[in-house]
Amino acid sequence: MNFKIKRLALLNALAKVSRAVSMKSPLPVLTGIKFDLKDNELILTGSDSDITIQTSIKENIEIIQTGSVVLSSRYILEIIKKIDSEFVHIYIVDGTLTRIKGANSKFDLNGTSYIDYPRIDLNKSGVHLQMKSTDLKEAIEQTSFATSEKETRPVLTGVNFKAKDHVLECIATDSYRLAKRILTIDSDVSFNIIIPKKSLIEISRIIEKDEFIDLYVSDRKVLFIFDSVLIQTRLIDGSYPDTSRLIPHEHNYSMSVDSVSLLNSIDRASLLSNEQTNIIKLSMSEDNVMLSSYSQEIGSVEENLSKAFYKGDDLSISFSAKYLNDAIKSINGEKVKVLFTGEMKPFIIMDFEKDDIIQLVLPVRTY
């Protein structure tokens, strides 16, 4: 293996594939990045066996001799980041010992044979769906935060992607809150899968521009292809709970309010709340809407929501300030509407103009 390459092109590619590499992998070879130099391109692969990211470089590269090697992700990334040169020259000196040369620097890095790297099948198989990358990125950002952090119910640690009749629903819940994004898709495909949160976060970070992304969904994995990047992730086994019955369809009370003023009020109202529970109370009547919190050890705070418009009978409801905060931020609209069905019933937060994002929060009983 012997090639010269523009440093920034290589750094950008390494930054992407290294996202899939885990330094805690039980397979030492998976702590590295596989360099596969072909006649017309350099293919870089990073994997932790749950998620695999592969990208190729065809421009800004001079290929002298083809070959393959696995180099430590941590060290190759740091070397390319810090080397002071527009181009770098990388070649195998002996066996797997690899030399990285810049204008004034020379590094010799011990590699691993590419033969030890597991074979990863990145074939385009299964149900095919094409969608806008920005839609996928938004859907991930608007749902993934509501997944469960606890491994006791593995299915809740991922986001449920459910496609049917030209509609794709992305749903996440941790049993205390729920986030749902509805997308219209061109393809009339059908699947019901659970994608791990970690994989979705990495995909969201790698999406940089508005383009089309191809998804290939099979029984155990899903492959995403866009902008010379392939990302394959395993799926979480199991059936996702039916969340449709959790979302109330009738609302007796409603509040509309400016998003920024509500976020600021939540921030102030939770200042004196207990950090562990972070519970705040919303008291509403047609004349007055008040946010408050009380802690026996710390004190109390009241915040008047003068910009809120409330419709319905008097209602008081307590909930996690963090959950409402996360829900409003994910909607990312100027104005939100909050729909209630009762004091101890889940309530819904939606964009004032659109209904393609639904955020649901369960109230908390306070005594």
Side-chain angles (χ1 to χ4, degrees):
M1 186 183 82
N2 191 339
F3 65 98
K4 292 176 181 173
I5 189 167
K6 195 166 188 177
R7 186 183 71 87
L8 286 176
L10 179 58
L11 181 61
N12 186 33
L14 285 172
K16 285 175 182 169
V17 297
S18 65
R19 291 187 179 281
V21 178
S22 168
M23 290 303 149
K24 297 171 186 171
S25 176
L27 265 178
V29 72
L30 287 182
T31 61
I33 290 170
K34 183 182 171 192
F35 282 66
D36 204 1
L37 191 64
K38 306 286 190 188
D39 291 328
N40 61 343
E41 64 180 340
L42 170 65
I43 300 169
L44 298 171
T45 308
S47 179
D48 69 354
S49 73
D50 281 342
I51 180 172
T52 301
I53 302 176
Q54 187 178 89
T55 188
S56 60
I57 303 170
K58 295 179 181 176
E59 294 172 357
N60 301 307
I61 184 168
E62 181 195 336
I63 296 163
I64 301 161
Q65 187 180 2
T66 61
S68 303
V69 73
V70 180
L71 298 175
S72 161
S73 168
R74 179 182 159 196
Y75 291 114
I76 188 66
L77 190 60
E78 284 302 309
I79 289 167
I80 300 303
K81 202 181 278 181
K82 291 180 179 175
I83 212 164
D84 187 16
S85 181
E86 188 184 354
F87 286 86
V88 288
H89 185 189
I90 300 176
Y91 56 97
I92 291 174
V93 182
D94 180 31
T96 57
L97 182 67
T98 305
R99 183 161 291 167
I100 302 112
K101 282 178 76 176
N104 304 303
S105 314
K106 181 181 82 174
F107 295 86
D108 283 352
L109 188 61
N110 287 317
T112 309
S113 171
Y114 71 94
I115 295 164
D116 298 332
Y117 203 83
R119 271 184 63 101
I120 298 165
D121 178 13
L122 293 169
N123 286 335
K124 300 173 184 175
S125 59
V127 177
H128 175 232
L129 164 67
Q130 190 178 70
M131 63 188 293
K132 285 176 73 175
S133 61
T134 46
D135 284 348
L136 178 65
K137 187 181 176 82
E138 266 186 12
I140 292 168
E141 289 169 355
Q142 288 161 348
T143 56
S144 59
F145 68 89
T147 56
S148 176
E149 299 294 328
K150 296 172 184 170
E151 294 290 338
T152 46
R153 289 187 71 189
V155 291
L156 298 186
T157 63
V159 178
N160 181 210
F161 279 65
K162 194 161 54 176
K164 195 180 179 184
D165 301 331
H166 294 281
V167 172
L168 175 65
E169 290 184 354
C170 308
I171 304 160
T173 182
D174 61 2
S175 301
Y176 302 102
R177 58 174 165 179
L178 180 143
K180 180 177 180 179
R181 173 68 197 269
I182 304 158
L183 293 159
T184 305
I185 50 175
D186 294 334
S187 315
D188 186 11
V189 292
S190 179
F191 56 80
N192 191 343
I193 57 173
I194 308 164
I195 305 176
K197 175 185 177 175
K198 178 182 178 279
S199 303
L200 290 171
I201 297 294
E202 298 306 345
I203 291 161
S204 173
R205 284 174 178 160
I206 290 171
I207 294 171
E208 291 170 345
K209 55 189 181 186
D210 190 3
E211 60 193 321
F212 281 103
I213 186 164
D214 289 286
L215 281 74
Y216 292 89
V217 180
S218 43
D219 291 342
R220 297 189 170 272
K221 61 190 183 182
V222 57
L223 176 68
F224 299 83
I225 302 175
F226 60 100
D227 189 29
S228 76
V229 178
L230 283 80
I231 304 176
Q232 183 168 279
T233 172
R234 69 167 182 91
L235 299 175
I236 297 173
D237 285 335
S239 299
Y240 204 78
D242 178 16
T243 56
S244 58
R245 56 193 173 80
L246 297 174
I247 300 167
H249 298 289
E250 290 181 11
H251 313 98
N252 307 321
Y253 321 84
S254 67
M255 179 180 76
S256 54
V257 64
D258 172 76
S259 299
V260 174
S261 75
L262 181 54
L263 283 169
N264 289 338
S265 294
I266 293 166
D267 190 34
R268 288 189 290 269
S270 58
L271 268 175
L272 301 186
S273 68
N274 183 307
E275 280 185 16
Q276 270 74 44
T277 54
N278 204 8
I279 300 300
I280 59 174
K281 184 178 182 182
L282 186 59
S283 306
M284 296 164 287
S285 69
E286 295 209 346
D287 303 324
N288 189 31
V289 178
M290 186 83 74
L291 265 180
S292 61
S293 73
Y294 169 75
S295 166
Q296 200 169 352
E297 302 85 32
I298 309 163
S300 63
V301 56
E302 284 188 348
E303 176 80 20
N304 193 3
L305 289 174
S306 55
K307 291 185 179 178
F309 175 75
Y310 175 72
K311 192 177 171 188
D313 295 335
D314 292 5
L315 180 70
S316 287
I317 196 161
S318 299
F319 50 84
S320 159
K322 182 187 184 306
Y323 286 1
L324 184 59
N325 192 54
D326 289 347
I328 296 162
K329 282 183 176 173
S330 75
I331 289 168
N332 197 22
E334 284 183 23
K335 202 173 178 184
V336 290
K337 57 185 174 187
V338 190
L339 308 171
F340 306 91
T341 50
E343 197 172 298
M344 283 312 295
K345 300 278 178 68
F347 60 93
I348 285 175
I349 307 101
M350 298 172 80
D351 188 288
F352 190 74
E353 304 285 343
K354 299 179 288 187
D355 56 5
D356 58 349
I357 310 163
I358 298 168
Q359 300 289 344
L360 179 140
V361 174
L362 262 69
V364 176
R365 194 180 294 279
T366 53
Y367 297 100

